[in-house]
Amino acid sequence: MDLTPPPTLAELVSPPAGSAMRRRDFIFGAGTSSYQIEGAARADSRLESIWDRFCATPGKVLRGETGAVACDHYHRWREDLDILARLGVDAYRFSIAWPRVMDEAGRPNHRGIDFYKRLLGGLAERGIRAFVTLYHWDLPQHLQDRDGWLNRGTAWRFADYADLMSRALAGHGDVAAWTTHNEPWCSAYLGYGDGHHAPGLKSPRWAAQAMHHLLLGHGLALPALRANAPRAQHGIVANVAPGYADSDTAADRDAAHLFETFQNRWVLDPLLKGEYPADLWRYWKGCEPAMQPGDMDIIQRPIDYLGLNFYSRALLRSAGPDTMAWVRRPDVERTTMDWEVYPQGMQDLLEALDREYVRLPPLYITENGMSSHDAISRGEVDDVQRQAYIKRHFAACSRAMENGVDVRGYFIWSLLDNFEWAFGYERRFGLVHVDFDTQKRTLKRSALAYADFLRERAAG
């Protein structure tokens, strides 16, 4: 007879005993982004974004769904902040919708700005720190009409936007951290390289140029952010993944190296080394971006932290010289995004980045989570796979910290089921289930376990 007591609710997700993640100064949170949850697409003079236009284009988004309503967070923000308070998180990571806060001439839209002032005030009232992202992919369409991130001028418009928002929100609840861009790799490659995301353009040359201007905008924004919010941390968030060779051949090892160059170093080398990785141009021959003298000095301005979004790994084989092919193994656990569940990849990646970059700043895991087919049964959502996913990734992060990697916080993606970009509402990442017909929120068992763990940590 097995007399082992069943795990407590907190133990379903909690880090291992003795983990540095259990320290009181380690930040736990949850994240969202503006277009994925806010809705209110035409409220209070909000302008059209590239995602509004993309969603309105037939065939671009599953079932033709849009973010026009999403989670209606614009009107239900108080309820959502109460959920954050119930979870007991230290911090909330959210993004500002650029089209909501400025008009086409660059003047402030005070009604849109007031929404974020209320949000910051509500977080302060609940004792929750704000991690604010300026750009989570919803570029104003009028800028895209002038070539978007292919236009060097957009980097300066972004710096103007960062200056406006960091001045406008000063004194309206404390912003603990400002993030310039979320996942510039996605904005550049998925938006301008393969067309899977807005604005739907397809050229590796365009992707390389868009990336350069995104990173330039990041660097240009930093002086204003530091001047207007001197007590905050300032950084950027990259989506990263480790590449593993399908076999121990030199060709497959090179394919894994090319993947990590394309996925990770394309963003991190300019930020932390002041140069693009040479091997990227082996993969994308002749696609080097147009640059001006001094650009790399601007891009590599020091940052206070680097956010890392981690979901899975890639398994690679060679498809010929300077090329790679993804390998899909059929016998592994996957999420409904068809991403392999591979927690060890988080430890491997964190430790590899720590070895590779001399200038690596303190790290935050700014996104980690999974999509699953979550349904309410008898008023509950018992998302068993997500509970195990969180626990195993907490353990992987803990091992990396034990080995010397400086990780300061961890944000689960996402707070709410939401609009999952080109997949519409089919893929559910939330700790909280959202009925998109009624907007009813239901905390999943993973959320209840997360809350119990955070209560235990606070009490200890």
Side-chain angles (χ1 to χ4, degrees):
M1 179 183 296
D2 183 4
L3 299 179
T4 304
T8 65
L9 190 57
E11 287 171 342
L12 295 175
V13 301
S14 60
S19 167
M21 294 178 72
R22 291 177 175 268
R23 296 192 316 248
R24 292 293 297 275
D25 62 347
F26 190 88
I27 292 175
F28 282 99
T32 64
S33 86
S34 52
Y35 192 78
Q36 292 182 274
I37 68 166
E38 283 182 0
R42 292 292 181 265
D44 294 332
S45 300
R46 177 188 175 277
L47 302 180
E48 183 184 21
S49 80
I50 56 172
W51 272 94
D52 297 311
R53 181 71 60 88
F54 193 72
C55 290
T57 305
K60 295 297 186 182
V61 177
L62 192 65
R63 294 185 297 270
E65 293 171 336
T66 78
V69 176
C71 305
D72 197 28
H73 175 73
Y74 192 74
H75 299 111
R76 300 172 185 267
W77 62 271
R78 292 180 183 84
E79 177 184 0
D80 294 335
L81 296 196
D82 286 344
I83 291 172
L84 285 166
R86 180 178 173 186
L87 292 178
V89 295
D90 304 302
Y92 174 47
R93 178 175 176 255
F94 67 95
S95 74
I96 294 170
W98 189 350
R100 197 179 291 287
V101 297
M102 298 178 83
D103 69 11
E104 291 193 19
R107 295 176 300 236
N109 174 15
H110 293 291
R111 287 182 292 178
I113 292 171
D114 285 347
F115 167 70
Y116 297 105
K117 290 180 179 178
R118 293 191 295 271
L119 198 61
L120 286 176
L123 289 168
E125 290 170 3
R126 293 162 176 81
I128 300 170
R129 282 171 275 188
F131 276 57
V132 179
T133 299
L134 285 162
Y135 187 69
H136 200 130
W137 310 352
D138 44 357
L139 185 72
Q141 180 62 40
H142 69 88
L143 292 178
Q144 184 58 43
D145 292 341
R146 296 191 286 275
D147 294 330
W149 291 108
L150 299 178
N151 184 335
R152 186 177 173 89
T154 301
W156 268 262
R157 302 293 77 74
F158 176 75
D160 293 341
Y161 159 57
D163 181 35
L164 169 66
M165 292 312 301
S166 54
R167 283 187 289 108
L169 297 182
H172 294 275
D174 189 30
V175 176
W178 285 94
T179 297
T180 53
H181 292 297
N182 176 77
E183 299 184 347
W185 185 94
C186 290
S187 296
Y189 180 67
L190 298 182
Y192 293 84
D194 80 347
H196 182 65
H197 281 185
L201 303 182
K202 298 182 181 182
S203 164
R205 184 182 298 275
W206 289 342
Q209 192 64 63
M211 176 67 82
H212 185 68
H213 292 156
L214 283 154
L215 296 178
L216 184 64
H218 154 79
L220 289 169
L222 285 174
L225 290 172
R226 292 193 185 282
N228 299 333
R231 294 185 301 173
Q233 298 181 81
H234 305 92
I236 191 170
V237 166
N239 56 305
V240 289
Y244 298 85
D246 187 43
S247 74
D248 196 31
T249 63
D252 281 4
R253 290 197 304 271
D254 188 58
H257 168 77
L258 280 178
F259 169 81
E260 290 194 340
T261 298
F262 167 64
Q263 178 69 57
N264 305 333
R265 298 183 188 95
W266 183 20
V267 175
L268 298 182
D269 277 17
L271 292 168
L272 302 177
K273 295 182 177 180
E275 61 187 14
Y276 288 104
D279 284 343
L280 182 63
W281 316 126
R282 278 206 290 134
Y283 180 59
W284 275 350
K285 295 178 176 66
C287 292
E288 295 91 331
M291 294 187 283
Q292 294 185 10
D295 280 4
M296 300 311 295
D297 292 331
I298 294 171
I299 289 171
Q300 66 170 328
R301 283 172 171 158
I303 52 177
D304 302 315
Y305 73 93
L306 174 65
L308 298 177
N309 295 351
F310 177 89
Y311 289 96
S312 187
R313 71 164 178 171
L315 191 63
L316 289 307
R317 62 174 174 80
S318 174
D322 301 331
T323 58
M324 57 188 172
W326 279 254
V327 176
R328 186 185 189 282
R329 288 186 176 166
D331 55 345
V332 298
E333 179 187 359
R334 293 183 178 276
T335 72
T336 58
M337 291 293 286
D338 200 32
W339 297 342
E340 181 182 352
V341 177
Y342 193 76
Q344 182 60 40
M346 173 179 280
Q347 179 186 354
D348 293 346
L349 181 70
L350 288 172
E351 294 180 6
L353 296 179
D354 192 55
R355 290 191 300 270
E356 182 167 350
Y357 292 102
V358 174
R359 293 180 54 214
L360 190 69
L363 303 176
Y364 289 86
I365 304 301
T366 37
E367 288 184 23
N368 176 244
M370 60 156 289
S371 67
S372 57
H373 291 303
D374 298 326
I376 295 178
S377 176
R378 299 177 184 175
E380 299 178 342
V381 181
D382 191 8
D383 52 346
V384 174
Q385 187 185 15
R386 181 174 292 102
Q387 297 157 38
Y389 181 100
I390 293 170
K391 187 174 184 68
R392 286 180 285 167
H393 283 83
F394 279 179
C397 183
S398 299
R399 293 191 298 271
M401 294 174 70
E402 287 174 10
N403 291 335
V405 182
D406 186 6
V407 182
R408 305 282 180 91
Y410 203 115
F411 292 77
I412 295 177
W413 185 269
S414 65
L415 175 64
L416 304 169
D417 290 339
N418 55 37
F419 177 77
E420 188 47 43
W421 307 111
F423 294 106
Y425 294 96
E426 181 182 81
R427 315 290 168 95
R428 292 182 176 267
F429 276 88
L431 291 166
V432 177
H433 181 277
V434 178
D435 183 320
F436 294 106
D437 293 325
T438 66
Q439 292 296 338
K440 181 180 179 181
R441 275 78 159 137
T442 302
L443 273 67
K444 302 176 188 178
R445 190 166 176 81
S446 60
L448 299 173
Y450 192 31
D452 263 28
F453 158 64
L454 293 176
R455 275 193 292 272
E456 285 186 4
R457 186 186 68 141

